[in-house]
């Protein structure tokens, strides 16, 4: 079936312009963290992992396989997205499909370690993704392609000694938590 297609661009020019400088500065900061906590941040592995995480989270919101989210998301964010997902599945909006056509981690917006009140040291890394997503609404015969940027924050507990493994990365925050057209701020309905 052929759909009418609209293309929407939702990108932050300021983030895109400042990213190269912020990425370089924060990579130096994360290199310094690696001197104290070996392998706390390995860019290539991190980049591959966060791109995969983006696709998994997106697909879990639109499927019955939300169990994977529990291990990927910090607990407050998991609770928020679980409630959002219940609402999503209960509405007619769920009749449409959403796919990630492409996702690329563009760079590090910020990165820093932080001591928590229970003595753990957590590493926070915020990245900028550039994506192309397609939303198809069969009952309206409409397909919308959205090019946009997302800021997500990842965190992990840092090991106290070199012989201990670093904690797993989890998603602590997302710039877009929803994918309804109202959430997207689109001037039209999908």
């Amino acid at each position: 079936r052929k759909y009418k297609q609209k293309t929407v661009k939702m990108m932050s020019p300021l983030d895109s312009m400042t990213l190269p400088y912020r990425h370089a500065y924060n990579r130096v900061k994360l290199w310094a963290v690696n001197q104290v906590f070996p392998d706390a941040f390995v860019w290539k592995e991190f980049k591959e992992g966060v791109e995969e995480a983006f696709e998994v989270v997106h697909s879990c919101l639109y499927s019955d396989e939300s169990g994977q989210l529990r291990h990927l998301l910090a607990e407050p964010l998991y609770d928020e997205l679980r409630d959002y997902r219940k609402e999503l599945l209960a509405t007619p909006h769920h009749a449409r499909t959403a796919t990630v056509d492409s996702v690329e981690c563009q760079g590090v917006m910020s990165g820093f370690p932080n001591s928590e009140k229970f003595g753990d040291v957590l590493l926070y890394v915020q990245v900028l993704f550039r994506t192309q997503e397609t939303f198809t609404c069969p009952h309206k015969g409409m397909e919308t392609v959205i090019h946009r940027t997302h800021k997500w924050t990842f965190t992990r507990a840092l090991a106290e000694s070199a012989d201990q493994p670093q904690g797993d990365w989890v998603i602590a925050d997302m710039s877009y938590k929803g994918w309804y057209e109202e959430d997207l701020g689109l001037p039209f309905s999908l």
Side-chain angles (χ1 to χ4, degrees), residues 71-87:
H71 304 290
L72 288 174
L73 304 173
E75 195 163 329
L77 184 58
Y78 175 79
D79 292 341
E80 186 178 342
L81 283 181
R82 184 191 60 218
D83 295 343
Y84 171 80
R85 190 175 170 283
K86 283 180 189 174
E87 184 183 332

Side-chain angles (χ1 to χ4, degrees), residues 7 19 25 35 50-51 57 62 75-76 80 97 112-113 120 122 125-126 131 151 153 158-159 165 179 183-184:
T7 300
L19 181 62
Y25 172 72
Q35 302 311 300
V50 298
E51 288 173 350
V57 168
Y62 286 92
E75 195 163 329
E80 186 178 342
T97 61
F112 59 91
D120 291 337
L122 298 180
V125 178
Q126 184 182 64
T131 67
K151 283 187 220 175
T153 303
L158 297 177
W179 284 274
D183 297 332
L184 297 171

Side-chain angles (χ1 to χ4, degrees), residues 11-82:
M11 306 223 179
S12 167
L14 182 61
D15 286 339
S16 296
M17 288 185 325
T18 61
L19 181 62
Y21 307 103
R22 294 173 80 168
H23 179 76
Y25 172 72
N26 284 291
R27 288 288 305 277
V28 170
K29 285 180 15 183
L30 292 167
W31 172 84
V33 170
N34 275 343
Q35 302 311 300
V36 178
F37 300 98
D39 297 325
F41 182 82
V42 178
W43 170 244
K44 184 178 178 190
E45 292 172 11
F46 178 80
K47 183 178 186 297
E48 291 170 1
V50 298
E51 288 173 350
E52 183 179 338
F54 185 94
E55 292 182 4
V56 168
V57 168
H58 193 276
S59 69
C60 284
L61 284 175
Y62 286 92
S63 73
D64 293 331
E65 301 175 20
S66 63
Q68 292 183 39
L69 293 178
R70 181 168 294 285
H71 304 290
L72 288 174
L73 304 173
E75 195 163 329
L77 184 58
Y78 175 79
D79 292 341
E80 186 178 342
L81 283 181
R82 184 191 60 218

